[in-house]
């Protein structure tokens, strides 16, 4: 995981803040949006789902943001989430490797991801069996 984070940082360091937030076409996401989304996913899946910390994520904001966050702030956010994830994964014991984990989703986020309100009502979370940590 850390090797991938290093690659992301290297890529971000090659761009200026304007490039990080530029969108090639309307409806597309910027590099900055993808960084926010990556940090949000990792936090939700590892820190909240496995580490039982409160869900502190506004998924829609990850895609609506159009700037105002510097390259350094994005890197700091990614590193902070990674540090929390590493701490949680490092503390897992043998029994944790076979427990079931529920990942919480806000209804509006679930609807956006699945574009089906009926399905969202039926299933508000995804269950993930942690087998290989």
């Amino acid at each position: 995981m850390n090797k991938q984070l290093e690659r992301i940082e290297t890529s971000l360091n090659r761009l200026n803040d304007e490039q990080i937030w530029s969108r090639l076409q309307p409806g597309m996401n910027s590099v900055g949006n993808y960084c926010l989304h990556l940090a949000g996913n990792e936090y939700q899946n590892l820190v909240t789902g496995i580490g039982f910390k409160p869900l502190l994520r506004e998924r829609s904001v990850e895609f609506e943001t159009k700037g105002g966050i510097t390259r350094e702030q994005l890197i700091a956010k990614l590193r902070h989430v990674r540090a929390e994830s590493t701490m949680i994964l490092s503390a897992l014991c043998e029994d944790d490797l076979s427990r079931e984990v529920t990942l919480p989703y806000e209804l509006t986020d679930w609807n956006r991801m699945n574009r089906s309100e009926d399905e969202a009502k039926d299933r508000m979370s995804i269950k993930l069996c942690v087998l290989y940590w």
Side-chain angles (χ1 to χ4, degrees):
M1 287 177 19
N2 290 332
K3 189 169 210 70
Q4 298 307 319
L5 180 57
E6 289 171 15
R7 290 179 178 158
I8 292 168
E9 287 183 33
T10 299
S11 298
L12 285 171
N13 283 321
R14 292 181 178 166
L15 303 173
N16 63 39
D17 290 343
E18 184 179 329
Q19 292 169 318
I20 288 171
W21 292 104
S22 70
R23 297 173 185 231
L24 298 177
Q25 295 180 7
M28 292 182 83
N29 293 305
S30 68
V31 170
N33 295 122
Y34 286 121
C35 289
L36 292 175
H37 187 56
L38 179 62
N41 276 343
E42 184 171 328
Y43 189 91
Q44 183 172 4
N45 294 328
L46 298 179
V47 179
T48 298
I50 296 172
F52 302 114
K53 300 245 178 151
L55 178 59
L56 304 172
R57 182 182 190 192
E58 293 181 73
R59 189 175 185 279
S60 59
V61 173
E62 297 165 12
F63 298 105
E64 293 167 0
T65 301
K66 295 186 178 178
I69 302 172
T70 66
R71 172 185 51 228
E72 292 78 16
Q73 290 170 317
L74 281 174
I75 291 171
K77 183 176 190 66
L78 289 164
R79 284 181 183 172
H80 177 74
V81 170
R82 179 57 46 84
E84 288 190 74
S85 298
T86 300
M87 203 167 53
I88 286 163
L89 293 175
S90 297
L92 292 177
C93 66
E94 180 105 13
D95 290 340
D96 291 322
L97 302 180
S98 61
R99 73 176 158 91
E100 190 173 271
V101 175
T102 299
L103 302 176
Y105 282 90
E106 297 291 331
L107 179 58
T108 53
D109 289 337
W110 185 261
N111 286 340
R112 271 191 213 104
M113 289 186 303
N114 292 286
R115 292 182 168 79
S116 167
E117 194 168 321
D118 292 334
E119 188 177 352
K121 288 177 185 173
D122 293 338
R123 188 172 173 197
M124 288 290 294
S125 65
I126 296 175
K127 292 192 175 179
L128 170 70
C129 186
V130 181
L131 297 175
Y132 303 106
W133 293 109

